[in-house]
Amino acid sequence: MFDSLSEKLDRAFKVLKGQGKITEINVAETLKEVRKALLDADVNYKVAKQFTDTVKEKALGQQVLTAISPSQLLVKITHDELTSLMGGETADIKLDSNPTIILMSGLQGSGKTTFTGKLANHLKTKRGKKPLLIAADVYRPAAINQLHVLGEQIGVEVFSDAESKDPISIAKRGIAQAKENGNTVVIIDTAGRLAVDEAMMNEIAALKKRN
Amino acid sequence: MTGQDAVNTAKAFNDRLDFDGVVLTKLDGDTRGGAALSIKTVVNKPIKFVGTGEKMEAIDVFHPTRMSDRILGMGDVVTLVEKAQEQYNEEEARKLSKKIAQNKFDFNDFLAQLNQIKKMGNIKDLVGMIPGVGKAMKDVDIKDDAFKHIEAIIQSMTPAEREKPELINGSRRARIAKGSGQSIQEINKLMKQFEETRKMMRMMQDKGAMMKMMKNMPKMPGMK
Ligand SMILES: Nc1nc2c(ncn2[C@@H]2O[C@H](COP(=O)(O)OP(=O)(O)O)[C@@H](O)[C@H]2O)c(=O)[nH]1
Ligand SMILES: [Mg+2]
């Protein structure tokens, strides 16, 4: 998935191959390539700039041990900085409430319904949870059906009400059912929306607040 | 959608909803990875999961360290092992090892093993997790149906042939080739591969041989 980025970074570090030590010049040259690689991978400009600045600072400030080459050192620093750029620690999903309620939001076609199924399957098989899925996309009749098909496939129950056009009411009733049946996780699949669509954003903000 | 668009969308949603975490879907596609690298800084919310395909199993917990390993071509052995363990079934493994010991590992087992590998996910992604190999294989086109012709060949065998590969002589090979739409060379290749797999499996299982190998190895600290 990061093939092209990996390749370009690899090439960037080649600048340092055979160099005895880290200098302002060879680091600058390498990091120019690293920055280009990041920008080509569509990393935000400010993020890329900040990233290479940090790596440079760390590389120049480091006592170079004879045991490692400049390119190894830079790869190591880049590795640590990439990790921290992506959040550092693994951010585990919070599952302490009973039931834990997860609300999906995002653009249309971004994969919310599919992910609702995947997450339920993951929580069921790996975390011993008993999920209930709620179909709260009231704008496309096919969406309800899509969720039922996935639910069936992974053996997870789905709450829906094709008659209702009110996502909040559907969610409320779904959660009530979950409590009654001892479901430990509830995942609410919602309709896709644009962040600029005021009415739709109000709807999902209300969904979040009321549940 | 570009990485920048994805990040801007996440930011707009977060400004309004103050959500807990992000899921990066379709990471199996032609994404260039930029979103994964920018979201935390721009939105200040963690990536929790990634989606890597349309199937229900195509979900991974997002581990920043492992992702850096992969970006820098260091492989991601931890994920690879986890995926293998998920598919590992104690009971099946015991049965299989018994069959290997009795030299009864057959084409049905071979097919079952292929299916296990397939269940682990997208083959190209798996290969990419092996340190050093990902880089070497980047230009090799590994399709997800890489095993398709092998499956076709095995499926063209009779049940008796699958259980007793010794039966498969020249005329049977010709029939299998025809039935599976593969050349006779492909059949021969698979038969040879199968024989080698069988041999290797027995060798690895032969504890006596393993012990001998261990004895010849230099002493390792902590080993008695
Ligand atoms: N390749 C790939 N396709 C995906 C992934 N997640 C979802 N899709 C596909 O993207 C399309 C839209 O997904 P859907 O879940 O319906 O999106 P929604 O509108 O946000 O609910 C479907 O064809 C899915 O199969 C993924 O991780 N990888
Ligand atoms: Mg949907």
Side-chain angles (χ1 to χ4, degrees):
Chain A
M1 57 187 88
F2 291 111
D3 287 359
S4 153
L5 174 62
S6 297
E7 195 182 316
K8 283 176 190 150
L9 287 176
D10 195 42
R11 239 185 281 144
F13 295 125
K14 286 227 166 79
V15 173
L16 286 169
K17 281 272 151 69
Q19 304 260 344
K21 61 176 195 204
I22 294 258
T23 65
E24 287 260 4
I25 295 167
N26 61 21
V27 165
E29 207 179 322
T30 307
L31 290 179
K32 201 174 110 196
E33 294 302 313
V34 169
R35 180 146 72 220
K36 250 197 260 167
L38 292 173
L39 293 175
D40 283 350
D42 215 6
V43 171
N44 177 287
Y45 176 79
K46 267 194 231 151
V47 174
K49 170 93 171 60
Q50 201 176 28
F51 181 85
T52 47
D53 285 352
T54 312
V55 174
K56 182 176 172 192
E57 197 179 306
K58 296 209 164 154
L60 293 176
Q62 198 128 146
Q63 278 295 343
V64 182
L65 304 163
T66 42
I68 58 169
S69 68
S71 77
Q72 281 170 329
L73 177 68
L74 217 62
V75 169
K76 163 80 171 74
I77 297 173
T78 304
H79 179 271
D80 293 350
E81 289 308 310
L82 278 177
T83 305
S84 104
L85 196 58
M86 289 186 284
E89 298 290 310
T90 302
D92 200 16
I93 185 168
K94 284 186 263 172
L95 295 167
D96 358 295
S97 329
N98 208 351
T100 297
I101 297 168
I102 298 163
L103 179 66
M104 303 295 304
S105 71
L107 304 178
Q108 191 163 335
S110 57
K112 292 180 300 302
T113 305
T114 308
F115 188 78
T116 300
K118 288 181 187 177
L119 182 61
N121 189 40
H122 173 87
L123 295 176
K124 179 186 163 187
T125 57
K126 310 247 162 79
R127 310 287 289 256
K129 295 285 169 184
K130 188 184 167 198
L132 174 74
L133 309 182
I134 299 180
D137 179 351
V138 296
Y139 304 96
R140 288 185 317 130
I144 298 176
N145 196 37
Q146 187 189 357
L147 198 62
H148 276 286
V149 170
L150 294 178
E152 192 137 314
Q153 203 181 318
I154 58 175
V156 166
E157 241 181 284
V158 177
F159 178 90
S160 65
D161 177 4
E163 302 297 306
S164 171
K165 290 284 168 217
D166 178 1
I168 294 174
S169 148
I170 294 172
K172 275 211 149 64
R173 285 179 285 139
I175 292 166
Q177 181 186 308
K179 286 179 179 158
E180 212 160 283
N181 294 350
N183 291 103
T184 48
V185 173
V186 174
I187 309 176
I188 308 173
D189 182 32
T190 63
R193 64 199 73 222
L194 293 168
V196 292
D197 185 335
E198 204 46 43
M200 287 298 277
M201 288 311 282
N202 282 338
E203 178 196 275
I204 196 152
L207 245 177
K208 177 166 187 269
K209 211 161 96 197
R210 303 280 195 83
N211 288 298
Chain B
M1 179 152 66
T2 70
Q4 305 260 14
D5 288 338
V7 172
N8 292 337
T9 304
K11 185 165 187 327
F13 271 82
N14 188 53
D15 287 347
R16 193 61 201 269
L17 294 173
D18 189 25
F19 51 63
D20 289 310
V22 180
V23 176
L24 285 178
T25 54
K26 309 190 185 182
L27 224 55
D28 52 317
D30 58 356
T31 161
R32 287 177 285 173
L37 294 167
S38 317
I39 278 192
K40 182 71 211 272
T41 310
V42 177
V43 187
N44 199 25
K45 288 291 163 72
I47 299 167
K48 299 213 171 190
F49 291 96
V50 297
T52 55
E54 305 201 7
K55 287 191 214 143
M56 286 295 99
E57 290 77 25
I59 168 176
D60 284 318
V61 173
F62 184 78
H63 297 291
T65 322
R66 299 188 197 173
M67 201 51 93
S68 311
D69 290 348
R70 280 163 86 167
I71 292 173
L72 290 173
M74 298 168 174
D76 180 0
V77 177
V78 185
T79 301
L80 195 61
V81 169
E82 279 178 2
K83 283 193 187 280
Q85 276 170 341
E86 275 164 28
Q87 298 304 328
Y88 183 87
N89 174 318
E90 198 117 10
E91 172 97 19
E92 292 289 313
R94 223 183 20 246
K95 269 195 227 152
L96 192 63
S97 111
K98 206 163 136 199
K99 282 184 112 170
I100 294 169
Q102 300 169 336
N103 203 22
K104 281 189 184 149
F105 180 82
D106 63 21
F107 272 114
N108 291 318
D109 304 316
F110 195 82
L111 203 56
Q113 294 301 93
L114 282 191
N115 280 328
Q116 294 249 324
I117 295 173
K118 278 201 325 207
K119 268 196 262 164
M120 282 167 64
N122 178 303
I123 308 217
K124 184 136 196 180
D125 280 352
L126 290 177
V127 170
M129 289 179 204
I130 307 171
V133 175
K135 229 183 274 174
M137 299 287 282
K138 69 178 186 321
D139 295 326
V140 184
D141 189 23
I142 311 170
K143 296 212 184 68
D144 234 11
D145 58 3
F147 297 142
K148 229 182 197 136
H149 74 282
I150 296 182
E151 284 168 358
I153 294 173
I154 298 177
Q155 272 148 10
S156 298
M157 295 174 184
T158 65
E161 287 166 348
R162 287 190 215 179
E163 275 169 41
K164 271 188 95 111
E166 298 73 36
L167 290 177
I168 305 176
N169 57 19
S171 66
R172 284 177 189 256
R173 285 182 196 206
R175 193 207 76 238
I176 293 167
K178 222 164 162 192
S180 62
Q182 303 289 325
S183 67
I184 193 95
Q185 284 88 339
E186 282 295 323
I187 315 294
N188 289 337
K189 205 167 99 193
L190 177 64
M191 293 301 297
K192 207 164 151 213
Q193 273 172 352
F194 176 78
E195 263 323 305
E196 270 159 20
T197 308
R198 227 182 188 187
K199 234 190 276 167
M200 205 158 70
M201 284 181 148
R202 264 225 325 277
M203 240 164 65
M204 291 181 44
Q205 212 185 37
D206 186 350
K207 291 212 181 71
M210 281 300 273
M211 287 312 286
K212 236 185 275 164
M213 258 169 59
M214 301 272 276
K215 265 197 200 125
N216 292 334
M217 270 196 319
K219 276 240 156 48
M220 278 186 257
M223 253 175 86
K224 298 241 167 82

